């Protein structure tokens, strides 16, 4: 929805009504958790000119992180991790097909490095022009120390119920390619383009979570763009691999587990349970990057 919402022409936004309603319900369910953790801090903040409360906006960010960012990125590398253990395709970059003892975290880290789930990390060096303002007037809204004023709200569109928003025109967008940085030989050495389970300390060189986009001297850290779910993502991946028992599953077509280019990286594949073959299968699909157990 985040992608569609940016590129869909305004007249067609009216057809997103049901999607927006369900999304709003999910955000509402998250609000009580966000309020428990950050309620006092958010109450002292202003989110003007938005008519939406800071609590709801913060809950929306959590929703985006769990579903559309980490909710896609983490399962992507869980899928490649499992696929590496079964694929007999010549495209498999890890012919050992076994996790080294007690190296589940390092193995998951290498999946994040080699199969970068976040290919690029965009930012604006010149912000898009506010509706009703000139480019120069828009740039004057930027303040020292990383602070900035939002575009003023204009009249609401009769079809969408929202004021006109410009998310692209007039702006300059910079997109460092994290997938290339994660294989930079200057940082990762001669095996940068190979799948090698490395010492844990080596992954401090990672930029896969936008680790470089952190500077607490700018706006008190409020402009940091490092992934807030980094610790959670690594914990989920490590725990999954510790609990996953390779011997309890067989690949239906191991030769068909093919690795390719990002951001999906791997073809769909199916694992059949050895212990309960009639009832349970582990399905990993590249279309939505998910892994689930179903009857």
């Amino acid at each position: 929805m985040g992608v569609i919402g940016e590129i869909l022409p305004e007249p067609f936004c009216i057809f997103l009504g049901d999607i927006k309603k369900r999304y709003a319900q999910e955000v509402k369910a998250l609000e009580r958790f966000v309020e428990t953790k950050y309620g006092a801090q958010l109450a002292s903040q202003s989110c003007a000119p938005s008519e939406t409360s800071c609590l709801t906006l913060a809950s929306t960010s959590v929703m985006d992180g769990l579903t559309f960012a980490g909710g896609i990125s983490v399962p992507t590398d869980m899928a490649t991790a499992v696929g590496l253990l079964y694929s007999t395709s010549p495209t498999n970059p890890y012919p050992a097909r076994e996790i080294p003892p007690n190296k589940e975290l390092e193995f998951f880290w290498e999946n994040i490095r080699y199969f970068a789930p976040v290919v690029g990390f965009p930012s604006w060096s010149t912000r898009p022009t506010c509706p009703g303002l000139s480019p120069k007037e828009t740039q004057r809204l930027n303040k020292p120390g990383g602070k900035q004023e939002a575009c003023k709200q204009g009249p609401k569109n009769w079809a969408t119920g929202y004021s006109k928003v410009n998310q692209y025109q007039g702006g300059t967008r910079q997109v460092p390619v994290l997938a290339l940085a994660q294989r930079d030989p200057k940082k990762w050495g001669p095996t940068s383009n190979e799948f090698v389970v490395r010492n844990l300390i080596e992954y401090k060189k990672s930029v896969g979570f936008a680790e470089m986009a952190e500077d607490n001297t700018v706006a008190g850290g409020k402009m940091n763009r490092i992934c807030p779910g980094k610790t959670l993502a690594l914990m989920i991946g490590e725990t999954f691999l510790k609990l996953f028992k390779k011997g309890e599953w067989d690949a239906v077509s191991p030769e068909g587990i093919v690795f390719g280019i990002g951001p999906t990286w791997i073809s769909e594949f199916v694992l059949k349970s050895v212990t309960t073959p009639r009832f349970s299968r582990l399905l990993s699909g590249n279309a939505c990057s998910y892994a689930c157990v179903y009857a």
Side-chain angles (χ1 to χ4, degrees), residues 197-235:
V197 181
R198 304 160 199 270
N199 292 327
L200 191 58
I201 194 172
E202 285 214 47
Y203 295 107
K204 289 185 177 293
K205 297 180 289 190
S206 167
V207 294
F209 292 95
E211 289 92 339
M212 70 292 185
E214 183 176 31
D215 188 346
N216 292 326
T217 66
V218 176
K222 293 180 181 178
M223 296 297 289
N224 288 347
R225 291 298 181 266
I226 182 174
C227 175
K230 177 180 178 179
T231 300
L232 177 61
L234 292 170
M235 181 183 70

Side-chain angles (χ1 to χ4, degrees), residues 117-158:
V118 179
V119 177
F121 180 70
S123 63
W124 296 101
S125 57
T126 301
R127 64 188 286 181
T129 304
C130 293
L133 297 182
S134 68
K136 287 186 177 181
E137 290 171 330
T138 298
Q139 298 314 311
R140 282 200 289 268
L141 296 176
N142 296 335
K143 307 300 179 183
K147 297 181 180 181
Q148 60 181 227
E149 294 181 24
C151 298
K152 306 298 181 183
Q153 285 191 323
K156 293 183 178 180
N157 182 286
W158 68 270

Side-chain angles (χ1 to χ4, degrees), residues 20-38:
K20 291 194 294 183
K21 181 180 178 180
R22 284 183 286 147
Y23 183 83
Q25 290 172 342
E26 295 296 334
V27 171
K28 190 68 177 178
L30 285 172
E31 282 190 6
R32 64 189 182 96
F33 299 105
V34 176
E35 186 172 23
T36 299
K37 180 71 174 178
Y38 301 107

